[in-house]
Amino acid sequence: MLCLHDSIRDDDPSVQRLLCAVEDAPSLTALILAAWQVARVLTVHLVEAVLAERARRPLAWPRCPQCGVVLRSKGFATRQVMSLFGPIRWRRRVGRCPHGCAIPQVAPLDETLGVQPQQRTSGELQQLGCALAVFVPFATAARLLGWYSGRPVSPQAVWGWVQAAGQRAMETLQKHLQALAQGDLPAPEALAADLAAAPLVLGADGVMVPFRPTGGQPTGKTRWQEITVGVLARLGQHRTRTGKVVTRLHHRRLVAVLGDVEALKPRLWLEAVRQGIRQAPQVVWLSDGARGLWRLYEERLAASAVGILDFYHAVQSLWKGAAAWLDGRTTQARRWFGWARHRLRHGQPDGVVADLVEALEVEGLPDSARDTLTALYAYLERHREHIDYAQYKDLGLPIGSGMVESACKWLIQQRFKGVGMRWSETGFNHLLHLRLAWVNGSFEALFQVPLQASPNT
Ligand SMILES: [Zn+2]
């Protein structure tokens, strides 16, 4: 019987050497890795053979962009790009203007293949490099790519692909934001029936990121800047192994901006429309006490969404009030706090508010305690519509905003706050938008057309 490795060893001595290495491999791991080298060489052979065949086909020459005369072949020239399997070479016809116009050399086959004139790496390598860079530092991504391609890849090359892909993601977003500003609403994303019937939850949070000094110099004082992140998801119930029912976020979508809540507003709204805020059976806004976030809720969401103030934030404020009023070291303070927390949790916030009113009427209350209690009273009054926790529980809605905030934090923390990391605004923005594309499921679409070549790619 003719073995596979007998049938492929005929013509190429380099393949023969690799096949010998496969046969001599002492361990399973060594065997697989040696066979991988053979696969790589065979893949390159196969790709180059197909390209050579295509290059021989007759082709219709385009016209000169300057004088309009049909271009003429100047014969074959070699082209090379770095691929996931190592360098790929092919010879194809190149043309020039017969009138001698100063136009760049034209290679119709490259154009058909989607290869840009200055491109030095093929799309699948760039895409994998960008996907790795979404999660790991550029140097690590470059090293992993080197393992697979069999050739070293520089961190600068990975950085260059990320800049190009991130730029494209930002331009697409800008287009959609402009359309939205002109009243052109995006189509809602298609959802499975069970998801479409689930409540839509929205929330946001701010995270600080270290940036280089103004001007982008590598030395000097770190500038911490705020990134505001919004999350949109469908709420699902999940029963744990111990039988406890917990809320889970499904179909999670994130939006983010280097800037404050004001800058986030249009982005959040764009995604809210896409995530079906106008069709969802129930919409929920979950947030801690941050004023800016509640202003955003009042302006954009209050008409369609139930606002829920994070229960634990509310409880913290209760404790602050109790400690200032009754002295935090006393049993009396702890007792009042326990009572108020219980009331709040079980749907009697009015009882708590009434108690505060009574406390404020007592003469001889120290000024500092009065100030704290007045602030607590104003806080509860401001959020009166957002603290009906018993009702939210009955509706199966969460009362804590923790999972919303951790979704926001993850987007930034996991990649942008490594030890010693400092970002330029442009570099940060490009990678941020790649990460967003990744978590929002639009990453592959970014690479369906080749990236605009820059000297680094
Ligand atoms: Zn011409």
Side-chain angles (χ1 to χ4, degrees), residues 291-313:
R291 293 277 186 116
L293 293 177
W294 282 100
R295 261 201 308 279
L296 181 152
Y297 166 77
E298 295 298 341
E299 274 177 43
R300 286 295 172 94
L301 303 166
S304 50
V306 179
I308 302 178
L309 175 70
D310 177 51
F311 178 66
Y312 307 95
H313 193 273

PDB file of all heavy atoms in Angstrom, residues 291-313:
ATOM      1  N   ARG A 291     -24.134  60.875  39.590  1.00  0.00           N
ATOM      2  CA  ARG A 291     -25.097  61.868  39.092  1.00  0.00           C
ATOM      3  C   ARG A 291     -25.186  61.902  37.572  1.00  0.00           C
ATOM      4  O   ARG A 291     -26.263  61.956  36.999  1.00  0.00           O
ATOM      5  CB  ARG A 291     -24.693  63.272  39.578  1.00  0.00           C
ATOM      6  CG  ARG A 291     -24.802  63.470  41.063  1.00  0.00           C
ATOM      7  CD  ARG A 291     -26.239  63.803  41.448  1.00  0.00           C
ATOM      8  NE  ARG A 291     -26.295  64.125  42.864  1.00  0.00           N
ATOM      9  CZ  ARG A 291     -26.631  65.332  43.317  1.00  0.00           C
ATOM     10  NH1 ARG A 291     -26.916  66.310  42.486  1.00  0.00           N
ATOM     11  NH2 ARG A 291     -26.692  65.540  44.615  1.00  0.00           N
ATOM     12  N   GLY A 292     -24.001  61.893  36.906  1.00  0.00           N
ATOM     13  CA  GLY A 292     -23.972  62.002  35.441  1.00  0.00           C
ATOM     14  C   GLY A 292     -24.765  60.888  34.790  1.00  0.00           C
ATOM     15  O   GLY A 292     -25.471  61.093  33.807  1.00  0.00           O
ATOM     16  N   LEU A 293     -24.641  59.691  35.358  1.00  0.00           N
ATOM     17  CA  LEU A 293     -25.323  58.530  34.782  1.00  0.00           C
ATOM     18  C   LEU A 293     -26.841  58.678  34.926  1.00  0.00           C
ATOM     19  O   LEU A 293     -27.600  58.351  34.017  1.00  0.00           O
ATOM     20  CB  LEU A 293     -24.853  57.251  35.463  1.00  0.00           C
ATOM     21  CG  LEU A 293     -23.388  56.889  35.212  1.00  0.00           C
ATOM     22  CD1 LEU A 293     -22.997  55.645  35.988  1.00  0.00           C
ATOM     23  CD2 LEU A 293     -23.140  56.678  33.726  1.00  0.00           C
ATOM     24  N   TRP A 294     -27.278  59.214  36.077  1.00  0.00           N
ATOM     25  CA  TRP A 294     -28.731  59.389  36.256  1.00  0.00           C
ATOM     26  C   TRP A 294     -29.271  60.521  35.411  1.00  0.00           C
ATOM     27  O   TRP A 294     -30.424  60.505  34.992  1.00  0.00           O
ATOM     28  CB  TRP A 294     -29.076  59.549  37.739  1.00  0.00           C
ATOM     29  CG  TRP A 294     -29.052  58.217  38.410  1.00  0.00           C
ATOM     30  CD1 TRP A 294     -28.035  57.708  39.169  1.00  0.00           C
ATOM     31  CD2 TRP A 294     -30.042  57.180  38.316  1.00  0.00           C
ATOM     32  NE1 TRP A 294     -28.341  56.428  39.562  1.00  0.00           N
ATOM     33  CE2 TRP A 294     -29.568  56.075  39.052  1.00  0.00           C
ATOM     34  CE3 TRP A 294     -31.277  57.080  37.681  1.00  0.00           C
ATOM     35  CZ2 TRP A 294     -30.284  54.888  39.179  1.00  0.00           C
ATOM     36  CZ3 TRP A 294     -31.992  55.897  37.811  1.00  0.00           C
ATOM     37  CH2 TRP A 294     -31.503  54.814  38.548  1.00  0.00           C
ATOM     38  N   ARG A 295     -28.413  61.516  35.107  1.00  0.00           N
ATOM     39  CA  ARG A 295     -28.845  62.574  34.177  1.00  0.00           C
ATOM     40  C   ARG A 295     -29.083  61.963  32.799  1.00  0.00           C
ATOM     41  O   ARG A 295     -30.055  62.270  32.121  1.00  0.00           O
ATOM     42  CB  ARG A 295     -27.788  63.677  34.091  1.00  0.00           C
ATOM     43  CG  ARG A 295     -28.106  64.891  34.946  1.00  0.00           C
ATOM     44  CD  ARG A 295     -27.352  66.131  34.467  1.00  0.00           C
ATOM     45  NE  ARG A 295     -25.924  65.893  34.344  1.00  0.00           N
ATOM     46  CZ  ARG A 295     -25.056  65.911  35.375  1.00  0.00           C
ATOM     47  NH1 ARG A 295     -25.494  66.149  36.602  1.00  0.00           N
ATOM     48  NH2 ARG A 295     -23.785  65.689  35.181  1.00  0.00           N
ATOM     49  N   LEU A 296     -28.163  61.089  32.395  1.00  0.00           N
ATOM     50  CA  LEU A 296     -28.311  60.410  31.102  1.00  0.00           C
ATOM     51  C   LEU A 296     -29.630  59.614  31.085  1.00  0.00           C
ATOM     52  O   LEU A 296     -30.376  59.652  30.111  1.00  0.00           O
ATOM     53  CB  LEU A 296     -27.125  59.476  30.882  1.00  0.00           C
ATOM     54  CG  LEU A 296     -27.054  58.665  29.581  1.00  0.00           C
ATOM     55  CD1 LEU A 296     -25.600  58.387  29.239  1.00  0.00           C
ATOM     56  CD2 LEU A 296     -27.811  57.372  29.620  1.00  0.00           C
ATOM     57  N   TYR A 297     -29.900  58.950  32.201  1.00  0.00           N
ATOM     58  CA  TYR A 297     -31.150  58.177  32.293  1.00  0.00           C
ATOM     59  C   TYR A 297     -32.357  59.089  32.121  1.00  0.00           C
ATOM     60  O   TYR A 297     -33.271  58.805  31.338  1.00  0.00           O
ATOM     61  CB  TYR A 297     -31.200  57.446  33.644  1.00  0.00           C
ATOM     62  CG  TYR A 297     -32.566  56.905  33.980  1.00  0.00           C
ATOM     63  CD1 TYR A 297     -33.038  55.741  33.379  1.00  0.00           C
ATOM     64  CD2 TYR A 297     -33.384  57.565  34.898  1.00  0.00           C
ATOM     65  CE1 TYR A 297     -34.297  55.253  33.687  1.00  0.00           C
ATOM     66  CE2 TYR A 297     -34.648  57.071  35.210  1.00  0.00           C
ATOM     67  CZ  TYR A 297     -35.097  55.924  34.599  1.00  0.00           C
ATOM     68  OH  TYR A 297     -36.351  55.442  34.896  1.00  0.00           O
ATOM     69  N   GLU A 298     -32.356  60.216  32.880  1.00  0.00           N
ATOM     70  CA  GLU A 298     -33.502  61.141  32.811  1.00  0.00           C
ATOM     71  C   GLU A 298     -33.710  61.662  31.395  1.00  0.00           C
ATOM     72  O   GLU A 298     -34.825  61.737  30.908  1.00  0.00           O
ATOM     73  CB  GLU A 298     -33.305  62.325  33.764  1.00  0.00           C
ATOM     74  CG  GLU A 298     -33.278  61.970  35.242  1.00  0.00           C
ATOM     75  CD  GLU A 298     -34.588  61.356  35.754  1.00  0.00           C
ATOM     76  OE1 GLU A 298     -35.627  61.529  35.077  1.00  0.00           O
ATOM     77  OE2 GLU A 298     -34.548  60.688  36.812  1.00  0.00           O
ATOM     78  N   GLU A 299     -32.584  62.003  30.737  1.00  0.00           N
ATOM     79  CA  GLU A 299     -32.696  62.623  29.411  1.00  0.00           C
ATOM     80  C   GLU A 299     -33.124  61.645  28.331  1.00  0.00           C
ATOM     81  O   GLU A 299     -33.915  61.966  27.460  1.00  0.00           O
ATOM     82  CB  GLU A 299     -31.334  63.197  29.000  1.00  0.00           C
ATOM     83  CG  GLU A 299     -31.103  64.599  29.514  1.00  0.00           C
ATOM     84  CD  GLU A 299     -29.710  65.083  29.137  1.00  0.00           C
ATOM     85  OE1 GLU A 299     -29.299  64.839  27.982  1.00  0.00           O
ATOM     86  OE2 GLU A 299     -29.049  65.667  30.008  1.00  0.00           O
ATOM     87  N   ARG A 300     -32.533  60.463  28.339  1.00  0.00           N
ATOM     88  CA  ARG A 300     -32.689  59.564  27.212  1.00  0.00           C
ATOM     89  C   ARG A 300     -33.567  58.353  27.468  1.00  0.00           C
ATOM     90  O   ARG A 300     -34.136  57.774  26.547  1.00  0.00           O
ATOM     91  CB  ARG A 300     -31.314  59.053  26.743  1.00  0.00           C
ATOM     92  CG  ARG A 300     -30.488  60.060  25.986  1.00  0.00           C
ATOM     93  CD  ARG A 300     -31.183  60.414  24.680  1.00  0.00           C
ATOM     94  NE  ARG A 300     -30.502  61.503  24.027  1.00  0.00           N
ATOM     95  CZ  ARG A 300     -29.568  61.359  23.095  1.00  0.00           C
ATOM     96  NH1 ARG A 300     -29.210  60.152  22.728  1.00  0.00           N
ATOM     97  NH2 ARG A 300     -28.994  62.402  22.553  1.00  0.00           N
ATOM     98  N   LEU A 301     -33.630  57.885  28.729  1.00  0.00           N
ATOM     99  CA  LEU A 301     -34.183  56.557  28.937  1.00  0.00           C
ATOM    100  C   LEU A 301     -35.442  56.524  29.796  1.00  0.00           C
ATOM    101  O   LEU A 301     -36.201  55.563  29.744  1.00  0.00           O
ATOM    102  CB  LEU A 301     -33.118  55.652  29.577  1.00  0.00           C
ATOM    103  CG  LEU A 301     -31.817  55.534  28.774  1.00  0.00           C
ATOM    104  CD1 LEU A 301     -30.716  54.920  29.619  1.00  0.00           C
ATOM    105  CD2 LEU A 301     -32.051  54.691  27.524  1.00  0.00           C
ATOM    106  N   ALA A 302     -35.644  57.584  30.600  1.00  0.00           N
ATOM    107  CA  ALA A 302     -36.724  57.536  31.594  1.00  0.00           C
ATOM    108  C   ALA A 302     -38.077  57.236  30.952  1.00  0.00           C
ATOM    109  O   ALA A 302     -38.938  56.600  31.571  1.00  0.00           O
ATOM    110  CB  ALA A 302     -36.775  58.838  32.367  1.00  0.00           C
ATOM    111  N   ALA A 303     -38.267  57.676  29.704  1.00  0.00           N
ATOM    112  CA  ALA A 303     -39.555  57.481  29.047  1.00  0.00           C
ATOM    113  C   ALA A 303     -39.859  56.008  28.827  1.00  0.00           C
ATOM    114  O   ALA A 303     -41.013  55.588  28.847  1.00  0.00           O
ATOM    115  CB  ALA A 303     -39.580  58.230  27.718  1.00  0.00           C
ATOM    116  N   SER A 304     -38.810  55.202  28.593  1.00  0.00           N
ATOM    117  CA  SER A 304     -39.076  53.803  28.254  1.00  0.00           C
ATOM    118  C   SER A 304     -38.527  52.816  29.272  1.00  0.00           C
ATOM    119  O   SER A 304     -38.872  51.640  29.233  1.00  0.00           O
ATOM    120  CB  SER A 304     -38.485  53.491  26.872  1.00  0.00           C
ATOM    121  OG  SER A 304     -37.143  53.917  26.818  1.00  0.00           O
ATOM    122  N   ALA A 305     -37.673  53.264  30.190  1.00  0.00           N
ATOM    123  CA  ALA A 305     -36.985  52.300  31.062  1.00  0.00           C
ATOM    124  C   ALA A 305     -37.325  52.503  32.535  1.00  0.00           C
ATOM    125  O   ALA A 305     -37.534  53.620  32.993  1.00  0.00           O
ATOM    126  CB  ALA A 305     -35.476  52.417  30.870  1.00  0.00           C
ATOM    127  N   VAL A 306     -37.371  51.389  33.274  1.00  0.00           N
ATOM    128  CA  VAL A 306     -37.447  51.426  34.732  1.00  0.00           C
ATOM    129  C   VAL A 306     -36.026  51.704  35.215  1.00  0.00           C
ATOM    130  O   VAL A 306     -35.096  51.026  34.800  1.00  0.00           O
ATOM    131  CB  VAL A 306     -37.869  50.039  35.277  1.00  0.00           C
ATOM    132  CG1 VAL A 306     -37.937  50.063  36.796  1.00  0.00           C
ATOM    133  CG2 VAL A 306     -39.164  49.581  34.661  1.00  0.00           C
ATOM    134  N   GLY A 307     -35.861  52.691  36.088  1.00  0.00           N
ATOM    135  CA  GLY A 307     -34.534  52.969  36.640  1.00  0.00           C
ATOM    136  C   GLY A 307     -34.387  52.300  37.991  1.00  0.00           C
ATOM    137  O   GLY A 307     -35.259  52.446  38.842  1.00  0.00           O
ATOM    138  N   ILE A 308     -33.331  51.540  38.195  1.00  0.00           N
ATOM    139  CA  ILE A 308     -33.096  50.890  39.490  1.00  0.00           C
ATOM    140  C   ILE A 308     -31.770  51.379  40.061  1.00  0.00           C
ATOM    141  O   ILE A 308     -30.720  51.216  39.444  1.00  0.00           O
ATOM    142  CB  ILE A 308     -33.068  49.348  39.356  1.00  0.00           C
ATOM    143  CG1 ILE A 308     -34.391  48.842  38.772  1.00  0.00           C
ATOM    144  CG2 ILE A 308     -32.776  48.692  40.708  1.00  0.00           C
ATOM    145  CD1 ILE A 308     -34.447  47.333  38.560  1.00  0.00           C
ATOM    146  N   LEU A 309     -31.845  51.975  41.257  1.00  0.00           N
ATOM    147  CA  LEU A 309     -30.622  52.409  41.943  1.00  0.00           C
ATOM    148  C   LEU A 309     -29.997  51.191  42.608  1.00  0.00           C
ATOM    149  O   LEU A 309     -30.683  50.440  43.303  1.00  0.00           O
ATOM    150  CB  LEU A 309     -30.971  53.459  43.007  1.00  0.00           C
ATOM    151  CG  LEU A 309     -29.818  53.925  43.896  1.00  0.00           C
ATOM    152  CD1 LEU A 309     -28.815  54.761  43.116  1.00  0.00           C
ATOM    153  CD2 LEU A 309     -30.347  54.710  45.098  1.00  0.00           C
ATOM    154  N   ASP A 310     -28.722  50.987  42.386  1.00  0.00           N
ATOM    155  CA  ASP A 310     -28.006  49.856  42.974  1.00  0.00           C
ATOM    156  C   ASP A 310     -28.308  49.771  44.470  1.00  0.00           C
ATOM    157  O   ASP A 310     -28.061  50.708  45.228  1.00  0.00           O
ATOM    158  CB  ASP A 310     -26.506  50.033  42.737  1.00  0.00           C
ATOM    159  CG  ASP A 310     -25.687  48.926  43.390  1.00  0.00           C
ATOM    160  OD1 ASP A 310     -26.019  47.759  43.163  1.00  0.00           O
ATOM    161  OD2 ASP A 310     -24.744  49.234  44.121  1.00  0.00           O
ATOM    162  N   PHE A 311     -28.877  48.620  44.911  1.00  0.00           N
ATOM    163  CA  PHE A 311     -29.288  48.456  46.304  1.00  0.00           C
ATOM    164  C   PHE A 311     -28.121  48.663  47.264  1.00  0.00           C
ATOM    165  O   PHE A 311     -28.263  49.286  48.311  1.00  0.00           O
ATOM    166  CB  PHE A 311     -29.886  47.047  46.477  1.00  0.00           C
ATOM    167  CG  PHE A 311     -30.299  46.733  47.882  1.00  0.00           C
ATOM    168  CD1 PHE A 311     -31.348  47.421  48.485  1.00  0.00           C
ATOM    169  CD2 PHE A 311     -29.640  45.757  48.617  1.00  0.00           C
ATOM    170  CE1 PHE A 311     -31.731  47.137  49.783  1.00  0.00           C
ATOM    171  CE2 PHE A 311     -30.014  45.465  49.921  1.00  0.00           C
ATOM    172  CZ  PHE A 311     -31.060  46.153  50.511  1.00  0.00           C
ATOM    173  N   TYR A 312     -26.946  48.175  46.886  1.00  0.00           N
ATOM    174  CA  TYR A 312     -25.799  48.232  47.804  1.00  0.00           C
ATOM    175  C   TYR A 312     -25.276  49.650  47.951  1.00  0.00           C
ATOM    176  O   TYR A 312     -24.768  50.039  48.997  1.00  0.00           O
ATOM    177  CB  TYR A 312     -24.733  47.239  47.336  1.00  0.00           C
ATOM    178  CG  TYR A 312     -25.374  45.882  47.183  1.00  0.00           C
ATOM    179  CD1 TYR A 312     -25.844  45.446  45.945  1.00  0.00           C
ATOM    180  CD2 TYR A 312     -25.627  45.103  48.304  1.00  0.00           C
ATOM    181  CE1 TYR A 312     -26.515  44.236  45.826  1.00  0.00           C
ATOM    182  CE2 TYR A 312     -26.296  43.890  48.196  1.00  0.00           C
ATOM    183  CZ  TYR A 312     -26.735  43.460  46.957  1.00  0.00           C
ATOM    184  OH  TYR A 312     -27.417  42.278  46.856  1.00  0.00           O
ATOM    185  N   HIS A 313     -25.433  50.444  46.894  1.00  0.00           N
ATOM    186  CA  HIS A 313     -25.082  51.862  46.969  1.00  0.00           C
ATOM    187  C   HIS A 313     -26.029  52.573  47.929  1.00  0.00           C
ATOM    188  O   HIS A 313     -25.613  53.358  48.786  1.00  0.00           O
ATOM    189  CB  HIS A 313     -25.154  52.480  45.573  1.00  0.00           C
ATOM    190  CG  HIS A 313     -24.528  53.845  45.493  1.00  0.00           C
ATOM    191  ND1 HIS A 313     -25.231  54.997  45.779  1.00  0.00           N
ATOM    192  CD2 HIS A 313     -23.268  54.227  45.182  1.00  0.00           C
ATOM    193  CE1 HIS A 313     -24.418  56.038  45.633  1.00  0.00           C
ATOM    194  NE2 HIS A 313     -23.228  55.600  45.283  1.00  0.00           N
TER     195      HIS A 313
END
